[in-house]
Amino acid sequence: MPSGSDLDLLRGTLDLLVLKALSWGPMHGLATLQWIERTTKQRLQIEEGALYPALHRMEEKGWLDAEWGHTEAGRRAKFYRLTTVGRRQLTIELSKWERYSEAVALLIMAKGA
Amino acid sequence: MRDWPRLRRVFRLPTTGRRVRAAVDDELRFHIDGRIDELMAQGMSRTEAELEARTRFGDYQRIEAEVSRLDQYSHRRRTMADRFEALLFDLRYSVRSLARQPMFSIIVVVTLTLGVAATTAIYHAIDRVVLHPLPYPNPDRIVYLGWQWRMGSGAGALSARRFEFWHDHGHVYDGLATTSAFEVALGDDQAAAVLHGSRITADFFHVLGAAPAIGRAFSADEFELGGPDVVILSDAVWRARFGAERGIIGREIRLDAKPYKVIGIMPATFEIAEQTEWADVFAPLRFTPTDLADGGNNYMVIGRLKPAVTEAQIQSDNDVVFQQYRETYPDAVRSEDQGVRVMTHQSLFLGDLGTALWIMLGATGFVLLLAIANVANLVLGRALNRQREFAVRTALGAGRGRLARQVVLDMIVLGAVSAVLSTAMGLMSVRGIVALASGGLLRESQLRLDPRVVVYTTLVTLAASLVIGTAVALSATRLNLSRALAEGGRTGSPSRGQRRLRGALVSLESAIAMLLLAGAGLLISSFARVLSVDPGFAREGVFTATIPHAPPGYDSASAIRQFDRRLLDELRATPGIMVAATTKTLPLERGWNVPMTVEGREDATEGGMEWRTVSPGYFDALGVKLLGGRDIKPSDDESAPLVVVISQSFAKRYWPNENPIGRRIFIGRFHGKPGGPRFAEGAREIIGIVPDLRDMSLEQRMPRHTAWVPRAQMQPAMASLPQIVVRATDAGVAATAIRRAVRAVDPRTPSPEISTMNDLVSRSVAQRRFGMVLMSIFALLALVLTCVGIYGVVTYLAAQRVHEIGIRMALGAQQRSVVGLVVRQGMRPALVGLAIGFVMALGLSRLIAGMLYGIGPRDPVSLGIVAVVLTGVAFVASYVPARRASRVDPLTALRME
């Protein structure tokens, strides 16, 4: 992990971030990462390489579909797309995350009181 | 479409590990390059940007390796899944397309099933009867001892004294034993079921490697004369009669109304392979002085060799023991005696049956070959008719491999069905073989269900299917795409090569059919000759009866004489019974063999004369006319002078130039010396001469010297309840009369078993019939398969030429000439095959020479008839489809193109 990140990425959260990113449309790996950076205003620092095992694992699970295509600049890149299964998985991950963060929020409030 | 994304993936995915790595590398590199561009756009120098991008990316090597491993794993998994799915798809396709052509599928399955089931049944029989016949441990050490008279000729049974002598003096045996069968009624009720028993000598269980499962074996003192009455029961009887109760050990049971102590129960697996009757009760065999002094050779001896004994050791041991025997009993050895002959199970019991079974296996091998050829032909025809379908699939991207696999799969589906059916059929036909072999050739237990049969059948069927499938797949998928499509689904004329292949198939089938039919023809002809042999006695209108076992009280000669007399009086008083007689030995039954000396000529002596006891009327009942002298009369009773009737060859041998009537012989004496108390009697006067009878076996070649003694004068030690021979108007009358008469004489007598003389004849030729029927079944199968094969080929070829036939008919050809044209196409290869088969038959029929009777292995009549039959069948098989082809409407035929 590069130092200086505001938040260490929670294990398993990367899947949620990638699914969420791809829910906007097919993207290649780098674009997915850039979307996450942009959206979180650089607050989430990801070890970039770790993105790829996650992408391939999700492809194997059938959440993502991959296809080689060309970028606007004409370079060959591998694009990932959310499958129906992936979309369903995103909903599951989101509700899981909500439950988790609610619990953490409750905990913090209880401590502060 | 469900399969769409996956199919796309198949095309897109790299197929090898290296290509997987390259793709991963491309993807990762794209990421880093993109980052570098981005950072440089933000104002970094190239070197700084590269360093920064790499740092942010992390450990490139590790990540690349991890992703590649993931991809390779999922690639393999997907390929497997895709292949499996494709296989399932093809399998479903096979089943569907076969179901759409039920006739084709049924014919293929039936043909394969017949071929495989036939080999299964025979292979199974061989395995159990020839390869693993003896249910004993170390069966290779089991031997049988017989007495040999002359070098080279067969061996007979041993006398009790010889058995004891070899048992006591032989050094190469781990044990020698013999048995004597007996029958008893269980309990006091004489009408109760009869148990078959075996009296055994001390070594018996040891030789067979068996011991009672419960209780103990006989102890040494139980073999002493006058020892306690003890028995060992078979597992079957113990379960059926005594409720498998263990407490039976040590208790007394009643057999023939006498008490016997049960000391043991044999295990369920114990069986005596050499006996066709199950033994239910075992008792000690105790030789009396009478038994030991008697020269009669009536004991089969089984022995177990010590480990690692050689042929030479057995021979020299026998020479030594024989020399000792000669010195001990100089009077009991004749010049032609050779001592004991040691035989294996194979040589003693199987001789001909083993050879016959191997020949049958060869025959079934040919039947299987025929079945395979036929199926190959059918499947090839179907594959050729599917060329358009194949062409379409090829055009759509299916490779030759995929099409070939489809053909093989079709065959495997059919083969799997056949495997199931032929296992069932093989097992059923095994039962048929047992029924056929009712003459006691095979035991039921030798043919029980065996898992190896299932494995064998499955392997044979699947191997055959694979061979056929692969051969057809290779030839049928080599197609010319554009031609097949352009021809609009019709395959056009078959190529010269294909036509020649089919011709060769027909030739092969005809050759095999000819060979098997020739074998069957020779055996049928031999069988007919044996049956038509004149045995010297009448077969029609003669009925026999056997009393299964005597009620108590018949252990004296006078009681038995009384029984005989009253029985004959009863029978003769019955309307419908023309002649009635009693005998100790029925025709075609194993009789007694005793020595004989002519009175006053001690050199005129014989070691093994056949000896029978008969009542007055015996020869009349069998339709035998006396050649000289007089018949046995009721007045030849115990108080009258001793008399005997002898056979013609007997008379010629000892009185070649004079009339033997009035001469006298000593039965039971050898070189004038009495053999023992059993035949202790005075000289008998010859009163009559009868023709030589084939009363031991129809195939008996040499006339045996036989003497018939009046039952009223029989030697007391040999007395036993009689068997009955009557001449009656019909079987029903005979059976009723005999049953009634036996009951009237003594109501305790068990109901007699009635057989016609033809039954006895039929039983005596059981082994011959066994070989003949099996061979005929296989020949018939071969004939049917060949017929189907020719029919199929001619139909196919005619269909291919429908266009040509149409043109010929349009041009005015006669229907007859068209028929001739097509028939020739089937007949030419069939006749070639027939000729080849004929030559093969001339060569191979030597193999069954030993099974023939009265004809040579190249009997021209049998072979000629077979050739004519086969030609006729081939003609019909070609004519029927030819005639159909000639009925085609020329217009339709021409329009089809």
Side-chain angles (χ1 to χ4, degrees), chain B residues 556-590:
Chain B
S556 75
S558 61
I560 288 165
R561 275 199 291 268
Q562 189 66 20
F563 185 96
D564 264 58
R565 247 173 234 141
R566 289 186 53 202
L567 179 70
L568 288 175
D569 288 346
E570 287 285 342
L571 281 171
R572 283 170 185 154
T574 314
I577 301 288
M578 277 108 74
V579 189
T582 56
T583 175
K584 184 179 179 69
T585 316
L586 287 175
L588 305 174
E589 197 180 62
R590 193 177 156 199

Side-chain angles (χ1 to χ4, degrees), chain B residues 888-897:
Chain B
V888 71
D889 174 19
L891 278 179
T892 324
L894 291 175
R895 216 181 293 128
M896 274 168 77
E897 287 293 304

Side-chain angles (χ1 to χ4, degrees), chain B residues 1-20:
Chain B
M1 230 195 202
R2 196 170 57 84
D3 281 341
W4 159 238
R6 217 165 256 184
L7 279 178
R8 256 190 347 178
R9 199 188 292 132
V10 171
F11 288 114
R12 200 176 59 233
L13 265 180
T15 50
T16 66
R18 195 188 303 169
R19 274 154 78 183
V20 165

Side-chain angles (χ1 to χ4, degrees), chain B residues 802-880:
Chain B
V802 126
H803 186 64
E804 176 201 334
I805 291 170
I807 294 176
R808 279 172 188 265
M809 301 216 14
L811 291 176
Q814 292 293 307
Q815 204 183 24
R816 277 179 66 172
S817 72
V818 171
V819 170
L821 183 80
V822 180
V823 164
R824 267 198 297 283
Q825 251 184 341
M827 285 303 281
R828 204 177 302 129
L831 289 176
V832 169
L834 206 143
I836 296 172
F838 198 87
V839 174
M840 280 165 72
L842 287 182
L844 286 178
S845 56
R846 268 184 306 110
L847 292 179
I848 55 166
M851 298 162 75
L852 301 183
Y853 181 87
I855 52 172
R858 295 176 172 189
D859 181 51
V861 178
S862 312
L863 295 181
I865 291 176
V866 164
V868 169
V869 167
L870 188 54
T871 312
V873 167
F875 179 77
V876 172
S878 317
Y879 181 77
V880 173

Side-chain angles (χ1 to χ4, degrees), chain B residues 563-718:
Chain B
F563 185 96
D564 264 58
R565 247 173 234 141
R566 289 186 53 202
L567 179 70
L568 288 175
D569 288 346
E570 287 285 342
L571 281 171
R572 283 170 185 154
T574 314
I577 301 288
M578 277 108 74
V579 189
T582 56
T583 175
K584 184 179 179 69
T585 316
L586 287 175
L588 305 174
E589 197 180 62
R590 193 177 156 199
W592 284 79
N593 192 272
V594 295
M596 177 282 309
T597 304
V598 176
E599 189 191 37
R601 291 162 57 189
E602 293 199 347
D603 57 312
T605 192
E606 180 153 327
M609 177 195 71
E610 291 299 315
W611 172 89
R612 314 263 185 266
T613 65
V614 297
S615 73
Y618 178 77
F619 296 114
D620 194 11
L622 288 179
V624 176
K625 297 265 177 296
L626 263 75
L627 294 172
R630 66 168 179 89
D631 200 347
I632 294 168
K633 289 191 298 197
S635 59
D636 294 318
D637 59 12
E638 60 271 34
S639 54
L642 297 176
V643 295
V644 63
V645 170
I646 61 169
S647 64
Q648 187 179 12
S649 59
F650 188 177
K652 284 221 176 93
R653 165 80 173 77
Y654 294 103
W655 297 275
N657 299 312
E658 46 187 319
N659 187 355
I661 304 292
R663 304 289 175 149
R664 308 208 305 166
I665 58 171
F666 290 101
I667 291 177
R669 293 194 185 185
F670 188 62
H671 286 301
K673 305 222 168 50
R678 219 171 231 179
F679 286 97
E681 61 172 22
R684 282 181 185 266
E685 183 185 334
I686 297 169
I687 55 163
I689 301 167
V690 294
D692 286 328
L693 304 182
R694 288 176 201 261
D695 62 349
M696 299 179 73
S697 150
L698 290 183
E699 296 176 47
Q700 178 183 345
R701 300 201 181 175
M702 302 229 303
R704 294 295 278 262
H705 299 168
T706 311
W708 289 271
V709 169
R711 278 186 64 81
Q713 296 182 348
M714 72 188 134
Q715 292 78 356
M718 300 300 291

